[in-house]
Amino acid sequence: AASEVKVDYQCSCGVEASIHRLYWCRHCVDLRCGRCVLQEVDSFYCPSCLDDHMPSSEAKLNQNRCTKCFECPICACTLASVLDGDGSDPANIFLACGFCQWTSKANAGQPALAKQASEKIARLLDVYQKLAVEEQRAQEVKRATMANPLYHLRGRLGTRTRYAMQQRQTQLHSKSHCQTVCRARSAKAYDAARNDWVDATEDLTGTIQAATTKAPAGVPDSLFAAPPDLSTVATLSQRHRSSEFRVRDISDLRPIPKGLAAKRSKRCKTCEHNLVKPELSPTSIKFKMQLFALLNVPNIKVASVTPLQPGEPGNVVLILSNPLNEAVNISFSQVLAEPSEDAAGAKVLSHNSQVTLPPNPIRITEMEADPAEEGEGMAAAAEDSFVVARHRHTLQLRLPVVAGTGVSHPEIAFAMTYSYQAPAAPSMRKEGSPEALCTPTVAVRVRLGAAVP
């Protein structure tokens, strides 16, 4: 039952998710989920060697793969360079996998094959560059032709004249000719071995038997003489990873260049402002901008739940924490289980149990609060019967709950409005005041686990 206890926040689009998977837009003053943000690739890097970040043009040139690191074609683990002998000869250096013990010794001719492949690619590039130059030249000639002042007379003097159209219509076969050809072909059968139409009365048994007993091209005769050894045959996933080589046996597999990873920045779809922007260095885990909901919205956790029975009252203790550097005043309100025309602006969130919410706002101090201010908050909490305990920027809140009749997994929902003074966005900033009073409202649903029968 403990694993079924969960707290979900409702995004502005209606999607419910954990607070760890949501973002906060300070310009729209609302929550954003993964569907409400745009992802932009800032840079590429290799997750194995963590080399300097790679621009998109270079990553595209290398087919989004690292030129220094390789992965095992069997298990996709990163390969390590191993010296065979004294290491004086570069040919004695090979790649080995520490997990499945695969080595590249079997592919001794791989450098020569790679050189041949690079030469073929270079020749193809030369051919396609020449074709591109010829195509560009043909387009320039066409452009110059269309700019000719007599170009508009081409329709009258060219192949689209009335005489040319009449000549083209006379060359079409008549209906009677098509009917004659169809009647003649209906009495014939198509012979795949001869690749021709023959009389249906002709005996095609020998031709069909010869075509069916003949082995397909490229299949060795030993495959039909003895059962195949599948341990030496590459699997489909291994072939897909090495699709450019068209391998069949495991001995033909070659090391695969390591795929690149990307650092992405996230942008709000509504106002198109950045929400998350990481640093470009691959070895850095810091962010230039990190508007995560966990750092901007009061966090709610379930501390304890009394055994709930359908239709019987119980209690749930929630832990509220303030991640902001400003004190917040939190007020709670009920939400609707279904949309209603009478309350158009109210939050709608499905639930099956009733909860009693505090009627007065509750103040939570900032993370680094003064002792005097914290003492004032504790004195105010002593007068509130819903607050159980308070410590720095967290407090415990006891809420009476009545599980619905016939409900096996009770759920409660409420709206939380919190107000605080924060540096305002340029669109919300007033004259002479760099700060603004923010009063966002978020809807929360709490799953309380399984009810006691």
Side-chain angles (χ1 to χ4, degrees):
S3 60
E4 299 175 357
V5 177
K6 188 180 180 183
V7 180
D8 288 335
Y9 289 71
Q10 188 182 40
C11 177
S12 57
C13 64
V15 175
E16 301 175 20
S18 174
I19 191 174
H20 305 86
R21 297 182 178 271
L22 297 176
Y23 308 94
W24 177 257
C25 181
R26 67 186 185 95
H27 296 268
C28 303
V29 195
D30 212 339
L31 290 173
R32 294 288 182 260
C33 63
R35 301 180 181 179
C36 302
V37 298
L38 298 172
Q39 296 191 16
E40 299 177 356
V41 176
D42 292 340
S43 63
F44 294 89
Y45 68 96
C46 177
S48 179
C49 62
L50 294 178
D51 201 356
D52 193 13
H53 66 275
M54 188 181 302
S56 301
S57 58
E58 186 178 354
K60 185 177 181 180
L61 183 63
N62 297 329
Q63 300 181 356
N64 291 337
R65 294 189 176 274
C66 182
T67 57
K68 302 178 183 178
C69 304
F70 297 88
E71 63 182 18
C72 178
I74 303 294
C75 61
C77 293
T78 304
L79 297 176
S81 300
V82 180
L83 297 176
D84 189 7
D86 55 356
S88 58
D89 188 4
N92 295 332
I93 302 177
F94 63 93
L95 299 175
C97 178
F99 183 77
C100 65
Q101 307 302 322
W102 180 87
T103 61
S104 60
K105 284 185 176 181
N107 299 322
Q110 180 186 356
L113 294 176
K115 185 178 180 180
Q116 294 176 5
S118 61
E119 292 177 354
K120 290 181 180 179
I121 293 175
R123 288 197 297 269
L124 287 175
L125 288 176
D126 294 338
V127 172
Y128 281 114
Q129 286 178 357
K130 293 179 181 178
L131 291 176
V133 171
E134 294 178 359
E135 184 177 357
Q136 185 178 3
R137 189 179 304 168
Q139 290 180 357
E140 292 177 356
V141 172
K142 182 178 180 182
R143 236 182 261 115
T145 305
M146 293 178 64
N148 194 333
L150 300 178
Y151 179 76
H152 64 281
L153 299 176
R154 182 182 177 184
R156 301 180 183 179
L157 305 177
T159 58
R160 299 182 62 87
T161 59
R162 181 181 298 178
Y163 176 76
M165 295 290 290
Q166 292 177 357
Q167 290 293 327
R168 198 158 40 243
Q169 289 178 0
T170 56
Q171 293 177 2
L172 298 177
H173 296 292
S174 61
K175 182 178 179 181
S176 58
H177 176 74
C178 295
Q179 291 177 352
T180 304
V181 173
C182 291
R183 291 194 192 98
R185 184 162 293 182
S186 61
K188 295 184 179 181
Y190 182 74
D191 187 3
R194 301 180 186 178
N195 194 16
D196 193 9
W197 293 87
V198 297
D199 294 334
T201 57
E202 186 177 350
D203 187 13
L204 302 177
T205 306
T207 305
I208 297 175
Q209 185 177 3
T212 54
T213 55
K214 184 179 180 181
V219 178
D221 297 335
S222 60
L223 187 63
F224 302 95
D229 185 9
L230 299 181
S231 61
T232 60
V233 180
T235 61
L236 287 178
S237 59
Q238 295 170 357
R239 296 186 185 189
H240 290 163
R241 287 198 295 267
S242 304
S243 57
E244 63 271 16
F245 301 115
R246 295 185 179 181
V247 298
R248 178 183 176 273
D249 299 331
I250 293 180
S251 58
D252 298 333
L253 294 175
R254 305 173 186 177
I256 304 172
K258 193 75 174 178
L260 298 178
K263 283 200 170 187
R264 298 178 175 88
S265 61
K266 295 178 175 57
R267 189 185 297 270
C268 178
K269 284 185 178 180
T270 305
C271 62
E272 297 185 355
H273 284 89
N274 282 326
L275 303 180
V276 177
K277 192 170 184 63
E279 291 186 354
L280 296 181
S281 177
T283 58
S284 176
I285 58 174
K286 297 181 180 180
F287 294 86
K288 298 179 181 178
M289 182 179 295
Q290 46 180 354
L291 294 179
F292 298 106
L294 185 64
L295 304 177
N296 295 273
V297 180
N299 190 7
I300 299 177
K301 298 180 181 179
V302 179
S304 62
V305 181
T306 58
L308 298 176
Q309 296 181 358
E312 297 295 333
N315 293 321
V316 55
V317 179
L318 303 179
I319 299 178
L320 277 71
S321 59
N322 178 21
L324 301 171
N325 293 327
E326 299 288 339
V328 297
N329 295 321
I330 301 178
S331 58
F332 300 90
S333 60
Q334 299 287 349
V335 296
L336 302 177
E338 297 179 357
S340 176
E341 297 180 357
D342 299 335
K347 293 284 186 178
V348 178
L349 196 58
S350 61
H351 57 279
N352 52 26
S353 301
Q354 299 297 327
V355 59
T356 303
L357 301 173
N360 301 323
I362 298 176
R363 181 179 177 83
I364 305 179
T365 59
E366 60 270 22
M367 296 185 63
E368 298 180 357
D370 297 334
E373 188 177 355
E374 187 175 354
E376 293 176 1
M378 295 180 65
E383 301 176 358
D384 198 337
S385 60
F386 290 89
V387 178
V388 178
R390 183 188 292 268
H391 178 68
R392 295 184 63 184
H393 64 288
T394 62
L395 63 83
Q396 294 185 8
L397 197 66
R398 182 190 293 113
L399 301 179
V401 178
V402 178
T405 305
V407 174
S408 59
H409 292 78
E411 300 175 355
I412 62 174
F414 53 86
M416 179 178 62
T417 303
Y418 60 100
S419 59
Y420 62 97
Q421 291 284 345
S427 58
M428 302 173 55
R429 190 171 299 171
K430 298 180 181 180
E431 296 182 1
S433 177
E435 294 186 352
L437 180 64
C438 299
T439 57
T441 302
V442 295
V444 183
R445 178 163 66 174
V446 183
R447 294 180 174 89
L448 303 177
V452 178

PDB file of all heavy atoms in Angstrom, residues 171-198:
ATOM      1  N   GLN A 171      -1.788   8.272 -82.801  1.00  0.00           N
ATOM      2  CA  GLN A 171      -0.857   7.193 -82.499  1.00  0.00           C
ATOM      3  C   GLN A 171      -1.387   6.260 -81.413  1.00  0.00           C
ATOM      4  O   GLN A 171      -0.832   5.200 -81.190  1.00  0.00           O
ATOM      5  CB  GLN A 171       0.478   7.793 -82.057  1.00  0.00           C
ATOM      6  CG  GLN A 171       1.205   8.539 -83.150  1.00  0.00           C
ATOM      7  CD  GLN A 171       2.478   9.184 -82.664  1.00  0.00           C
ATOM      8  OE1 GLN A 171       2.843   9.037 -81.504  1.00  0.00           O
ATOM      9  NE2 GLN A 171       3.169   9.891 -83.563  1.00  0.00           N
ATOM     10  N   LEU A 172      -2.421   6.653 -80.652  1.00  0.00           N
ATOM     11  CA  LEU A 172      -2.991   5.788 -79.626  1.00  0.00           C
ATOM     12  C   LEU A 172      -3.713   4.609 -80.252  1.00  0.00           C
ATOM     13  O   LEU A 172      -4.305   4.719 -81.350  1.00  0.00           O
ATOM     14  CB  LEU A 172      -3.961   6.594 -78.753  1.00  0.00           C
ATOM     15  CG  LEU A 172      -3.342   7.757 -77.974  1.00  0.00           C
ATOM     16  CD1 LEU A 172      -4.417   8.510 -77.217  1.00  0.00           C
ATOM     17  CD2 LEU A 172      -2.274   7.255 -77.005  1.00  0.00           C
ATOM     18  N   HIS A 173      -3.682   3.469 -79.564  1.00  0.00           N
ATOM     19  CA  HIS A 173      -4.341   2.272 -80.077  1.00  0.00           C
ATOM     20  C   HIS A 173      -5.849   2.422 -79.938  1.00  0.00           C
ATOM     21  O   HIS A 173      -6.348   3.009 -78.971  1.00  0.00           O
ATOM     22  CB  HIS A 173      -3.873   1.037 -79.313  1.00  0.00           C
ATOM     23  CG  HIS A 173      -2.413   0.756 -79.511  1.00  0.00           C
ATOM     24  ND1 HIS A 173      -1.890   0.352 -80.724  1.00  0.00           N
ATOM     25  CD2 HIS A 173      -1.363   0.841 -78.644  1.00  0.00           C
ATOM     26  CE1 HIS A 173      -0.585   0.180 -80.609  1.00  0.00           C
ATOM     27  NE2 HIS A 173      -0.229   0.469 -79.343  1.00  0.00           N
ATOM     28  N   SER A 174      -6.567   1.847 -80.887  1.00  0.00           N
ATOM     29  CA  SER A 174      -8.014   1.909 -80.864  1.00  0.00           C
ATOM     30  C   SER A 174      -8.563   0.898 -79.850  1.00  0.00           C
ATOM     31  O   SER A 174      -7.865   0.014 -79.367  1.00  0.00           O
ATOM     32  CB  SER A 174      -8.578   1.619 -82.255  1.00  0.00           C
ATOM     33  OG  SER A 174      -8.199   0.309 -82.658  1.00  0.00           O
ATOM     34  N   LYS A 175      -9.852   1.016 -79.557  1.00  0.00           N
ATOM     35  CA  LYS A 175     -10.492   0.126 -78.599  1.00  0.00           C
ATOM     36  C   LYS A 175     -10.558  -1.300 -79.121  1.00  0.00           C
ATOM     37  O   LYS A 175     -10.365  -2.265 -78.372  1.00  0.00           O
ATOM     38  CB  LYS A 175     -11.891   0.655 -78.297  1.00  0.00           C
ATOM     39  CG  LYS A 175     -12.659  -0.158 -77.271  1.00  0.00           C
ATOM     40  CD  LYS A 175     -14.020   0.451 -76.986  1.00  0.00           C
ATOM     41  CE  LYS A 175     -14.786  -0.400 -75.976  1.00  0.00           C
ATOM     42  NZ  LYS A 175     -16.120   0.171 -75.711  1.00  0.00           N
ATOM     43  N   SER A 176     -10.805  -1.449 -80.406  1.00  0.00           N
ATOM     44  CA  SER A 176     -10.889  -2.796 -80.980  1.00  0.00           C
ATOM     45  C   SER A 176      -9.533  -3.500 -80.930  1.00  0.00           C
ATOM     46  O   SER A 176      -9.454  -4.709 -80.685  1.00  0.00           O
ATOM     47  CB  SER A 176     -11.376  -2.710 -82.434  1.00  0.00           C
ATOM     48  OG  SER A 176     -10.484  -1.897 -83.197  1.00  0.00           O
ATOM     49  N   HIS A 177      -8.446  -2.751 -81.147  1.00  0.00           N
ATOM     50  CA  HIS A 177      -7.115  -3.352 -81.068  1.00  0.00           C
ATOM     51  C   HIS A 177      -6.823  -3.854 -79.647  1.00  0.00           C
ATOM     52  O   HIS A 177      -6.267  -4.947 -79.461  1.00  0.00           O
ATOM     53  CB  HIS A 177      -6.065  -2.336 -81.504  1.00  0.00           C
ATOM     54  CG  HIS A 177      -4.659  -2.842 -81.371  1.00  0.00           C
ATOM     55  ND1 HIS A 177      -4.117  -3.771 -82.248  1.00  0.00           N
ATOM     56  CD2 HIS A 177      -3.681  -2.560 -80.467  1.00  0.00           C
ATOM     57  CE1 HIS A 177      -2.876  -4.039 -81.904  1.00  0.00           C
ATOM     58  NE2 HIS A 177      -2.578  -3.313 -80.819  1.00  0.00           N
ATOM     59  N   CYS A 178      -7.181  -3.089 -78.616  1.00  0.00           N
ATOM     60  CA  CYS A 178      -6.972  -3.517 -77.227  1.00  0.00           C
ATOM     61  C   CYS A 178      -7.788  -4.756 -76.896  1.00  0.00           C
ATOM     62  O   CYS A 178      -7.309  -5.665 -76.203  1.00  0.00           O
ATOM     63  CB  CYS A 178      -7.321  -2.376 -76.281  1.00  0.00           C
ATOM     64  SG  CYS A 178      -6.247  -0.931 -76.428  1.00  0.00           S
ATOM     65  N   GLN A 179      -9.035  -4.834 -77.401  1.00  0.00           N
ATOM     66  CA  GLN A 179      -9.859  -6.018 -77.151  1.00  0.00           C
ATOM     67  C   GLN A 179      -9.257  -7.251 -77.804  1.00  0.00           C
ATOM     68  O   GLN A 179      -9.280  -8.353 -77.233  1.00  0.00           O
ATOM     69  CB  GLN A 179     -11.269  -5.777 -77.664  1.00  0.00           C
ATOM     70  CG  GLN A 179     -12.040  -4.736 -76.851  1.00  0.00           C
ATOM     71  CD  GLN A 179     -13.413  -4.480 -77.428  1.00  0.00           C
ATOM     72  OE1 GLN A 179     -13.742  -4.972 -78.534  1.00  0.00           O
ATOM     73  NE2 GLN A 179     -14.228  -3.719 -76.702  1.00  0.00           N
ATOM     74  N   THR A 180      -8.692  -7.117 -78.994  1.00  0.00           N
ATOM     75  CA  THR A 180      -8.066  -8.258 -79.678  1.00  0.00           C
ATOM     76  C   THR A 180      -6.864  -8.771 -78.905  1.00  0.00           C
ATOM     77  O   THR A 180      -6.660  -9.985 -78.751  1.00  0.00           O
ATOM     78  CB  THR A 180      -7.647  -7.838 -81.091  1.00  0.00           C
ATOM     79  OG1 THR A 180      -8.771  -7.322 -81.786  1.00  0.00           O
ATOM     80  CG2 THR A 180      -7.059  -9.011 -81.853  1.00  0.00           C
ATOM     81  N   VAL A 181      -6.035  -7.875 -78.382  1.00  0.00           N
ATOM     82  CA  VAL A 181      -4.860  -8.278 -77.620  1.00  0.00           C
ATOM     83  C   VAL A 181      -5.269  -8.991 -76.333  1.00  0.00           C
ATOM     84  O   VAL A 181      -4.678 -10.000 -75.925  1.00  0.00           O
ATOM     85  CB  VAL A 181      -3.979  -7.055 -77.319  1.00  0.00           C
ATOM     86  CG1 VAL A 181      -2.841  -7.424 -76.377  1.00  0.00           C
ATOM     87  CG2 VAL A 181      -3.424  -6.494 -78.618  1.00  0.00           C
ATOM     88  N   CYS A 182      -6.326  -8.525 -75.663  1.00  0.00           N
ATOM     89  CA  CYS A 182      -6.787  -9.160 -74.423  1.00  0.00           C
ATOM     90  C   CYS A 182      -7.322 -10.557 -74.680  1.00  0.00           C
ATOM     91  O   CYS A 182      -7.084 -11.483 -73.894  1.00  0.00           O
ATOM     92  CB  CYS A 182      -7.852  -8.288 -73.757  1.00  0.00           C
ATOM     93  SG  CYS A 182      -7.210  -6.724 -73.094  1.00  0.00           S
ATOM     94  N   ARG A 183      -8.059 -10.754 -75.787  1.00  0.00           N
ATOM     95  CA  ARG A 183      -8.589 -12.086 -76.086  1.00  0.00           C
ATOM     96  C   ARG A 183      -7.462 -13.054 -76.404  1.00  0.00           C
ATOM     97  O   ARG A 183      -7.479 -14.221 -76.002  1.00  0.00           O
ATOM     98  CB  ARG A 183      -9.538 -12.006 -77.282  1.00  0.00           C
ATOM     99  CG  ARG A 183     -10.838 -11.266 -76.993  1.00  0.00           C
ATOM    100  CD  ARG A 183     -11.856 -11.518 -78.099  1.00  0.00           C
ATOM    101  NE  ARG A 183     -12.977 -10.611 -77.999  1.00  0.00           N
ATOM    102  CZ  ARG A 183     -13.107  -9.485 -78.702  1.00  0.00           C
ATOM    103  NH1 ARG A 183     -12.157  -9.146 -79.574  1.00  0.00           N
ATOM    104  NH2 ARG A 183     -14.162  -8.724 -78.557  1.00  0.00           N
ATOM    105  N   ALA A 184      -6.428 -12.585 -77.101  1.00  0.00           N
ATOM    106  CA  ALA A 184      -5.305 -13.458 -77.437  1.00  0.00           C
ATOM    107  C   ALA A 184      -4.501 -13.833 -76.195  1.00  0.00           C
ATOM    108  O   ALA A 184      -4.009 -14.963 -76.074  1.00  0.00           O
ATOM    109  CB  ALA A 184      -4.409 -12.774 -78.461  1.00  0.00           C
ATOM    110  N   ARG A 185      -4.369 -12.914 -75.253  1.00  0.00           N
ATOM    111  CA  ARG A 185      -3.568 -13.201 -74.055  1.00  0.00           C
ATOM    112  C   ARG A 185      -4.345 -14.039 -73.045  1.00  0.00           C
ATOM    113  O   ARG A 185      -3.754 -14.717 -72.220  1.00  0.00           O
ATOM    114  CB  ARG A 185      -3.111 -11.891 -73.423  1.00  0.00           C
ATOM    115  CG  ARG A 185      -2.209 -12.068 -72.238  1.00  0.00           C
ATOM    116  CD  ARG A 185      -1.451 -10.804 -71.928  1.00  0.00           C
ATOM    117  NE  ARG A 185      -0.500 -10.482 -72.984  1.00  0.00           N
ATOM    118  CZ  ARG A 185       0.336  -9.436 -72.948  1.00  0.00           C
ATOM    119  NH1 ARG A 185       0.308  -8.602 -71.924  1.00  0.00           N
ATOM    120  NH2 ARG A 185       1.178  -9.219 -73.942  1.00  0.00           N
ATOM    121  N   SER A 186      -5.680 -14.017 -73.090  1.00  0.00           N
ATOM    122  CA  SER A 186      -6.468 -14.806 -72.133  1.00  0.00           C
ATOM    123  C   SER A 186      -6.291 -16.295 -72.347  1.00  0.00           C
ATOM    124  O   SER A 186      -6.510 -17.091 -71.439  1.00  0.00           O
ATOM    125  CB  SER A 186      -7.949 -14.432 -72.265  1.00  0.00           C
ATOM    126  OG  SER A 186      -8.407 -14.729 -73.579  1.00  0.00           O
ATOM    127  N   ALA A 187      -5.898 -16.725 -73.535  1.00  0.00           N
ATOM    128  CA  ALA A 187      -5.679 -18.147 -73.811  1.00  0.00           C
ATOM    129  C   ALA A 187      -4.255 -18.569 -73.529  1.00  0.00           C
ATOM    130  O   ALA A 187      -3.874 -19.691 -73.868  1.00  0.00           O
ATOM    131  CB  ALA A 187      -6.030 -18.454 -75.272  1.00  0.00           C
ATOM    132  N   LYS A 188      -3.425 -17.701 -72.919  1.00  0.00           N
ATOM    133  CA  LYS A 188      -2.035 -18.011 -72.627  1.00  0.00           C
ATOM    134  C   LYS A 188      -1.790 -17.965 -71.132  1.00  0.00           C
ATOM    135  O   LYS A 188      -2.582 -17.432 -70.362  1.00  0.00           O
ATOM    136  CB  LYS A 188      -1.098 -17.030 -73.345  1.00  0.00           C
ATOM    137  CG  LYS A 188      -1.147 -17.138 -74.868  1.00  0.00           C
ATOM    138  CD  LYS A 188      -0.140 -16.212 -75.505  1.00  0.00           C
ATOM    139  CE  LYS A 188      -0.155 -16.334 -77.032  1.00  0.00           C
ATOM    140  NZ  LYS A 188       0.851 -15.456 -77.664  1.00  0.00           N
ATOM    141  N   ALA A 189      -0.653 -18.539 -70.718  1.00  0.00           N
ATOM    142  CA  ALA A 189      -0.224 -18.534 -69.311  1.00  0.00           C
ATOM    143  C   ALA A 189       1.191 -17.975 -69.236  1.00  0.00           C
ATOM    144  O   ALA A 189       1.993 -18.164 -70.162  1.00  0.00           O
ATOM    145  CB  ALA A 189      -0.280 -19.942 -68.717  1.00  0.00           C
ATOM    146  N   TYR A 190       1.469 -17.315 -68.122  1.00  0.00           N
ATOM    147  CA  TYR A 190       2.789 -16.692 -67.966  1.00  0.00           C
ATOM    148  C   TYR A 190       3.754 -17.694 -67.351  1.00  0.00           C
ATOM    149  O   TYR A 190       3.481 -18.298 -66.313  1.00  0.00           O
ATOM    150  CB  TYR A 190       2.685 -15.466 -67.061  1.00  0.00           C
ATOM    151  CG  TYR A 190       3.998 -14.738 -66.890  1.00  0.00           C
ATOM    152  CD1 TYR A 190       4.512 -13.960 -67.913  1.00  0.00           C
ATOM    153  CD2 TYR A 190       4.732 -14.856 -65.714  1.00  0.00           C
ATOM    154  CE1 TYR A 190       5.723 -13.291 -67.775  1.00  0.00           C
ATOM    155  CE2 TYR A 190       5.943 -14.200 -65.559  1.00  0.00           C
ATOM    156  CZ  TYR A 190       6.431 -13.414 -66.586  1.00  0.00           C
ATOM    157  OH  TYR A 190       7.611 -12.765 -66.438  1.00  0.00           O
ATOM    158  N   ASP A 191       4.891 -17.905 -68.016  1.00  0.00           N
ATOM    159  CA  ASP A 191       5.931 -18.813 -67.553  1.00  0.00           C
ATOM    160  C   ASP A 191       7.035 -17.973 -66.900  1.00  0.00           C
ATOM    161  O   ASP A 191       7.732 -17.209 -67.587  1.00  0.00           O
ATOM    162  CB  ASP A 191       6.480 -19.630 -68.720  1.00  0.00           C
ATOM    163  CG  ASP A 191       7.451 -20.712 -68.251  1.00  0.00           C
ATOM    164  OD1 ASP A 191       7.620 -20.832 -67.011  1.00  0.00           O
ATOM    165  OD2 ASP A 191       8.036 -21.402 -69.101  1.00  0.00           O
ATOM    166  N   ALA A 192       7.166 -18.107 -65.550  1.00  0.00           N
ATOM    167  CA  ALA A 192       8.166 -17.307 -64.836  1.00  0.00           C
ATOM    168  C   ALA A 192       9.581 -17.718 -65.196  1.00  0.00           C
ATOM    169  O   ALA A 192      10.498 -16.894 -65.177  1.00  0.00           O
ATOM    170  CB  ALA A 192       7.950 -17.438 -63.321  1.00  0.00           C
ATOM    171  N   ALA A 193       9.803 -18.996 -65.495  1.00  0.00           N
ATOM    172  CA  ALA A 193      11.149 -19.455 -65.839  1.00  0.00           C
ATOM    173  C   ALA A 193      11.598 -18.872 -67.187  1.00  0.00           C
ATOM    174  O   ALA A 193      12.747 -18.478 -67.353  1.00  0.00           O
ATOM    175  CB  ALA A 193      11.205 -20.977 -65.872  1.00  0.00           C
ATOM    176  N   ARG A 194      10.675 -18.825 -68.169  1.00  0.00           N
ATOM    177  CA  ARG A 194      11.010 -18.280 -69.486  1.00  0.00           C
ATOM    178  C   ARG A 194      10.821 -16.760 -69.559  1.00  0.00           C
ATOM    179  O   ARG A 194      11.274 -16.133 -70.500  1.00  0.00           O
ATOM    180  CB  ARG A 194      10.143 -18.941 -70.563  1.00  0.00           C
ATOM    181  CG  ARG A 194      10.289 -20.449 -70.629  1.00  0.00           C
ATOM    182  CD  ARG A 194       9.393 -21.004 -71.719  1.00  0.00           C
ATOM    183  NE  ARG A 194       9.397 -22.463 -71.729  1.00  0.00           N
ATOM    184  CZ  ARG A 194       8.669 -23.191 -72.563  1.00  0.00           C
ATOM    185  NH1 ARG A 194       7.891 -22.592 -73.481  1.00  0.00           N
ATOM    186  NH2 ARG A 194       8.699 -24.509 -72.507  1.00  0.00           N
ATOM    187  N   ASN A 195      10.075 -16.217 -68.577  1.00  0.00           N
ATOM    188  CA  ASN A 195       9.772 -14.789 -68.586  1.00  0.00           C
ATOM    189  C   ASN A 195       9.039 -14.399 -69.867  1.00  0.00           C
ATOM    190  O   ASN A 195       9.358 -13.408 -70.538  1.00  0.00           O
ATOM    191  CB  ASN A 195      11.047 -13.959 -68.418  1.00  0.00           C
ATOM    192  CG  ASN A 195      10.734 -12.506 -68.072  1.00  0.00           C
ATOM    193  OD1 ASN A 195       9.613 -12.186 -67.674  1.00  0.00           O
ATOM    194  ND2 ASN A 195      11.714 -11.641 -68.240  1.00  0.00           N
ATOM    195  N   ASP A 196       7.993 -15.220 -70.208  1.00  0.00           N
ATOM    196  CA  ASP A 196       7.255 -14.973 -71.438  1.00  0.00           C
ATOM    197  C   ASP A 196       5.878 -15.626 -71.312  1.00  0.00           C
ATOM    198  O   ASP A 196       5.657 -16.488 -70.467  1.00  0.00           O
ATOM    199  CB  ASP A 196       8.013 -15.541 -72.646  1.00  0.00           C
ATOM    200  CG  ASP A 196       7.448 -15.032 -73.968  1.00  0.00           C
ATOM    201  OD1 ASP A 196       6.600 -14.119 -73.894  1.00  0.00           O
ATOM    202  OD2 ASP A 196       7.855 -15.554 -75.010  1.00  0.00           O
ATOM    203  N   TRP A 197       4.952 -15.193 -72.207  1.00  0.00           N
ATOM    204  CA  TRP A 197       3.614 -15.782 -72.249  1.00  0.00           C
ATOM    205  C   TRP A 197       3.628 -16.959 -73.215  1.00  0.00           C
ATOM    206  O   TRP A 197       4.090 -16.845 -74.355  1.00  0.00           O
ATOM    207  CB  TRP A 197       2.584 -14.746 -72.720  1.00  0.00           C
ATOM    208  CG  TRP A 197       2.386 -13.629 -71.722  1.00  0.00           C
ATOM    209  CD1 TRP A 197       3.099 -12.494 -71.620  1.00  0.00           C
ATOM    210  CD2 TRP A 197       1.406 -13.593 -70.698  1.00  0.00           C
ATOM    211  NE1 TRP A 197       2.647 -11.716 -70.592  1.00  0.00           N
ATOM    212  CE2 TRP A 197       1.581 -12.384 -69.992  1.00  0.00           C
ATOM    213  CE3 TRP A 197       0.389 -14.459 -70.282  1.00  0.00           C
ATOM    214  CZ2 TRP A 197       0.798 -12.015 -68.917  1.00  0.00           C
ATOM    215  CZ3 TRP A 197      -0.403 -14.097 -69.218  1.00  0.00           C
ATOM    216  CH2 TRP A 197      -0.202 -12.895 -68.543  1.00  0.00           C
ATOM    217  N   VAL A 198       3.084 -18.133 -72.781  1.00  0.00           N
ATOM    218  CA  VAL A 198       3.054 -19.358 -73.588  1.00  0.00           C
ATOM    219  C   VAL A 198       1.623 -19.854 -73.627  1.00  0.00           C
ATOM    220  O   VAL A 198       0.745 -19.393 -72.873  1.00  0.00           O
ATOM    221  CB  VAL A 198       3.991 -20.429 -73.007  1.00  0.00           C
ATOM    222  CG1 VAL A 198       5.438 -19.953 -73.040  1.00  0.00           C
ATOM    223  CG2 VAL A 198       3.580 -20.793 -71.582  1.00  0.00           C
TER     224      VAL A 198
END
